[in-house]
Amino acid sequence: MSSTAESAPAGQGEPLWTVEEHVADILAAIRPLDPIQLPLPDAQGCVLVEDVVVPVSLPPFDNSSMDGYAVRTADLSGATGEFPAVLTVVGDVAAGSGELPEVGPGEAARIMTGAPLPPGAEAVVPVEWTDGGAGGGAVASMLPAGVGQDGASGEVRVYRTAEPRAHVRAAGSDVQAGELALEAGTVLGPPQIALLAAVGRGTVRVRPRPRVVVLSTGSELVQPGEELAEGQIYDSNSFALAAAARDAGAIAYRVGAVDDDPDTLRATIEDQLVRADLLVTTGGVSVGAYDVVKAALSSVGDEDEPGSGIDFRKLAMQPGKPQGFGSIGEAHTPLLALPGNPVSSYVSFELFVRPAIRAMMGVLDVHRPVVRAKLAADGPLSSPGGRRQFMRGRYDAAAGEAAPGGGAGSHLVAALAHADCLLVVPEETTVVEPGTELDVVLLG
C-alpha cells in the first residue's frame, strides 16, 4: 500500500486521501487471477486469455434457410400460378442428412431448414410457393413425411421462379476457417458462448470469476424476515453488496451480520478466507467506540511482509469518508473495509470494490462509464468544500441532463433504489447552479 495522501491543513487531523489515490492504491495491489481451463457452461462471465481461431467454416456446408424444395432454377423458367412448373420429387433432405439425393433436370428434393443443399440443386423454393406435393393449390406448411401425398416421391407444383442461390445459406457465410472468432480479453456472454460451441470448443482458457465474501457488522442488524426488536434494523448492506459483486462478475458469498465483537469478527474472517479471493466488510470503520472492523483488523499485519495488514484512512469524499484497505491471512487476501451507512457502502463499492473485482477478472476497463451532463434542478445545490460529492440521481441521455434524487443523507436507501447514476461535484465546488456540466457515473 502507498502513503500518498495529501497533507491536511493544520489543526484538521490526519491527512485526507483523494479518491484517485485510494483507487490507485487498491489497483496497484490487485493482480488478475491465474487462468484456468473451464467447460463452456462454467466460463460464462469470465474473460478469455487466448485468441480463439475458427477451425471450421460456419456454416460448414451450403444449407437451406427455408422449409421447401431444392431445385434447378432453369426448371422454374416461366412458372406462374396459372402455369406452374411440375417437378418430380426424388427424395427428402432433413437436417443432419448423410447421403443426399441428386437433383437432375425436372427434379426437386423436399428439404428442411438447415439441411444441406443436395448436389445438382441451385436454389430452394419455400413450401408456400408450391402445392406441397398434394396436387392442390399453394400450401402454408409442410406435412409430415408419409402423410397423404406429401412425401419423398410423386410430383410438386411450383408457382414462382427463383434466382440461383435463393434461400441458400452459403458455406462460410458466417465465419471462415482460420478467421479470429474471439480475441483475448473478451468477456464471455451468451452470444460468445454460442460461437465457441458452434466452432466446436468444449472448453476454453479464461480467468475465473473472483470469489467475493461480503460481511456486514453490527449488533443492531437483523436478517430480513425476522422480527425487529427495539433499536434494531434490517441488514441491507450485505444483500446489496453481494448483489453488486455478482453484477460486477464475481461469485458472491454473503455472510450474515457479525456482532460488534473484534474476536468474533476476526474468527469469522479467518473461516471465510478458504473461499475468498477478495473480502469486503461494511460498517465499523469510523472512530466510534464500537467500530469493530477497525478494532479487529488494525493490528493483523505481518511485520515481515511489507504491505500486509489493513490501513484505515479518511478520504476527501462524501459519502464514504472512512475507508480501509489491505490484505489478510497467509495468502494475503485483499480486504476492503467500507463504511456502514447504506448509501456510503454502495457508493464505495462502485468506486473501489467493483474496479478491484474487474481487475481480478482481467478486464481492461475496470471503471463504470462516465459522461458529461447538465444539472437538472429547481435551484442551486450545495456541496461541502474540500470533499468530492457523489449525489444519487437519474440520467436523461436524450436531454443530456442528470437530476439529483433524494437528499444527501447516507442512510437514504429509497433514493438509491431509484438512482441510475452518480452526479460528481468536484472538491473545490461548494455551490452548483442548474445547467452546470458535471461528470456523471452511469450505474448499470
Side-chain angles (χ1 to χ4, degrees):
M1 295 176 295
S2 64
S3 56
T4 57
E6 296 177 349
S7 297
Q12 292 190 14
E14 64 185 89
L16 294 178
W17 289 60
T18 67
V19 172
E20 287 82 4
E21 288 168 344
H22 189 54
V23 170
D25 194 35
I26 293 168
L27 294 182
I30 295 295
R31 296 291 178 268
L33 299 179
D34 292 334
I36 60 175
Q37 197 82 12
L38 285 179
L40 288 190
D42 299 330
Q44 182 174 351
C46 297
V47 177
L48 269 179
V49 296
E50 60 178 346
D51 290 341
V52 176
V53 176
V54 179
V56 60
S57 296
L58 291 181
F61 47 81
D62 290 351
N63 69 90
S64 176
S65 65
M66 305 287 288
D67 292 335
Y69 289 84
V71 298
R72 293 158 50 97
T73 56
D75 292 331
L76 304 185
S77 179
T80 65
E82 187 177 0
F83 300 104
V86 181
L87 306 177
T88 301
V89 180
V90 296
D92 262 8
V93 185
S97 292
E99 189 173 347
L100 305 177
E102 184 165 352
V103 177
E107 296 177 340
R110 199 170 73 139
I111 192 168
M112 313 306 155
T113 301
L117 191 70
E122 301 168 311
V124 172
V125 292
V127 67
E128 295 88 348
W129 296 7
T130 78
D131 69 349
V139 297
S141 63
M142 288 276 193
L143 290 176
V147 176
Q149 299 177 37
D150 184 28
S153 61
E155 293 181 337
V156 63
R157 287 171 173 78
V158 182
Y159 301 111
R160 294 176 57 175
T161 61
E163 295 295 323
R165 311 296 294 174
H167 305 112
V168 174
R169 302 170 179 149
S173 57
D174 191 352
V175 288
Q176 297 279 349
E179 289 182 353
L180 181 64
L182 297 171
E183 61 182 351
T186 300
V187 180
L188 299 181
Q192 292 76 33
I193 296 291
L195 177 56
L196 289 168
V199 300
R201 290 293 295 265
T203 64
V204 68
R205 191 165 176 78
V206 296
R207 295 194 190 279
R209 297 164 61 197
R211 300 166 301 162
V212 177
V213 173
V214 176
L215 303 92
S216 55
T217 63
S219 298
E220 78 281 10
L221 298 178
V222 175
Q223 296 307 296
E226 300 178 7
E227 289 193 16
L228 291 177
E230 188 72 25
Q232 293 182 325
I233 60 173
Y234 287 119
D235 170 22
S236 64
N237 283 0
S238 66
F239 287 90
L241 300 189
R246 285 190 290 270
D247 182 70
I251 298 170
Y253 301 105
R254 191 192 68 85
V255 179
V258 180
D259 288 341
D260 289 323
D261 177 73
D263 292 335
T264 300
L265 177 60
R266 276 194 296 266
T268 302
I269 289 176
E270 289 172 1
D271 288 344
Q272 295 299 320
L273 285 174
V274 68
R275 63 172 180 173
D277 297 308
L278 176 68
L279 282 159
V280 179
T281 67
T282 171
V285 295
S286 192
V287 294
Y290 292 93
D291 284 329
V292 62
V293 175
K294 201 168 185 180
L297 302 181
S298 291
S299 59
V300 299
D302 185 343
E303 295 181 359
D304 298 328
E305 291 288 344
S308 67
I310 310 300
D311 180 36
F312 293 91
R313 55 190 65 157
K314 295 178 180 178
L315 271 61
M317 64 180 286
Q318 184 188 57
K321 181 180 178 181
Q323 301 283 337
F325 171 64
S327 64
I328 190 168
E330 294 182 1
H332 301 290
T333 303
L335 184 147
L336 284 99
L338 311 183
N341 280 318
V343 177
S344 300
S345 69
Y346 183 74
V347 170
S348 299
F349 183 97
E350 288 292 339
L351 298 179
F352 309 128
V353 183
R354 182 183 174 89
I357 291 172
R358 306 293 282 175
M360 284 183 161
M361 294 174 63
V363 176
L364 297 180
D365 188 1
V366 300
H367 299 287
R368 289 285 199 185
V370 177
V371 298
R372 295 285 287 180
K374 293 180 180 180
L375 174 65
D378 295 332
L381 302 178
S382 62
S383 186
R387 304 276 189 89
R388 184 178 304 179
Q389 184 173 192
F390 295 88
M391 297 187 294
R392 286 80 68 201
R394 298 286 298 178
Y395 174 60
D396 184 340
E401 295 179 340
S410 56
H411 64 292
L412 301 175
V413 182
L416 180 64
H418 296 285
D420 62 8
C421 69
L422 298 174
L423 287 70
V424 185
V425 182
E427 291 87 340
E428 66 275 9
T429 301
T430 56
V431 177
V432 188
E433 297 289 343
T436 302
E437 274 203 349
L438 298 171
D439 282 343
V440 176
V441 180
L442 303 182
L443 304 176

